[in-house]
Amino acid sequence: MMERVNAWLREDPFRLPRAFFIGASWLLLLSLLFPYWRMTLQAPQYPGGLRVDVYVTHLAGDVSEVDNLNHYIGMKKLHEAAQVERFLAPLAIGAAALLGEALAFTRRRWAAVLALPAMLFPFIFLADMYYWLYRYGHDLDPNAPLRLPPFTPPLLGTGVVGQFRTVAELQLGFWMALAASLLIALGLHFRRVVRTALERRQAVRLGPFTLVPEGARG
């Protein structure tokens, strides 16, 4: 098996980084189907807890129930947050995936900039989530039945909002996007290794594989 892989890579050492770029593009696209973030509210009157799942395109779970509770502390309805982001997310992810595919089929050094959107997307998502959590916890209706001091719900981990314990967790969609980012980083690394070795006419070492192109010094 290893010999077959070696022979396959020997024909074109750039096949390995290309596989990383293509795999990353598909992972990023598939992440659209799964939630990126989850907030669970726990209280004695809700033994099973209330859950809100955040996809990059929509919200799911006990959204209405949480909105009803948030009304008492003057917090806006959840669906009003990040409307522009949810509209643009499929376009942004699709564009980032296409750029990753384009990166797989070009060897120019400047093409590394094509990797930036896909690599940065999971971190942009976290920054945007924190922004909206901050906004919602600080822009409270002063005429609400219950008055709370301004607060920021946790982006990760546990916290307390009124009588509720909150648990914030990253979900499968985010981890898929992060894996895509790491695959692209690996692809860029191995592409640089291959290019440098070929320019020096040396053996190409890609993890457990050592490829000796024609004319290499070894």
Side-chain angles (χ1 to χ4, degrees):
M1 180 64 180
M2 291 287 286
E3 189 55 41
R4 287 184 180 179
V5 175
N6 262 300
W8 181 72
L9 289 175
R10 197 175 294 117
E11 294 176 9
D12 180 2
F14 286 97
R15 281 175 171 168
L16 183 60
R18 187 178 301 135
F20 281 128
F21 296 140
I22 294 173
S25 297
W26 281 101
L27 263 180
L28 192 57
L29 285 174
L30 290 173
S31 74
L32 281 166
L33 303 176
F34 300 95
Y36 269 55
W37 186 83
R38 172 179 293 170
M39 172 71 81
T40 304
L41 303 179
Q42 300 171 341
Q45 62 268 41
Y46 296 98
L50 297 175
R51 189 190 77 248
V52 175
D53 286 332
V54 176
Y55 294 71
V56 294
T57 56
H58 65 281
L59 304 178
D62 303 311
V63 179
S64 296
E65 291 85 346
V66 173
D67 277 340
N68 290 334
L69 292 170
N70 287 343
H71 167 74
Y72 290 103
I73 63 172
M75 188 177 286
K76 295 178 181 178
K77 292 184 179 295
L78 297 179
H79 75 271
E80 296 178 10
Q83 293 183 1
V84 173
E85 291 93 322
R86 290 201 298 272
F87 173 77
L88 293 177
L91 302 176
I93 287 180
L98 285 175
L99 290 175
E101 290 277 349
L103 182 62
F105 295 100
T106 181
R107 301 178 186 178
R108 297 183 180 277
R109 296 180 187 274
W110 60 262
V113 300
L114 300 177
L116 289 177
M119 292 184 70
L120 295 178
F121 185 80
F123 306 103
I124 294 172
F125 171 83
L126 288 180
D128 192 61
M129 275 297 307
Y130 182 82
Y131 167 77
W132 283 106
L133 289 170
Y134 180 90
R135 280 276 308 274
Y136 265 49
H138 284 74
D139 190 16
L140 300 174
D141 184 353
N143 299 315
L146 299 177
R147 298 294 301 275
L148 292 181
F151 66 96
T152 303
L155 178 64
L156 295 173
T158 61
V160 176
V161 178
Q163 298 179 342
F164 285 84
R165 178 176 181 266
T166 64
V167 181
E169 304 169 294
L170 298 173
Q171 297 298 297
L172 180 59
F174 176 85
W175 296 118
M176 292 173 72
L178 185 62
S181 179
L182 294 175
L183 282 177
I184 287 177
L186 284 172
L188 291 173
H189 167 71
F190 282 122
R191 193 174 72 165
R192 180 178 59 81
V193 169
V194 170
R195 181 187 293 114
T196 300
L198 293 179
E199 287 174 352
R200 298 177 179 176
R201 302 180 66 81
Q202 295 176 339
V204 181
R205 291 178 174 83
L206 301 174
F209 308 110
T210 300
L211 315 176
V212 183
E214 183 178 352
R217 295 194 299 266

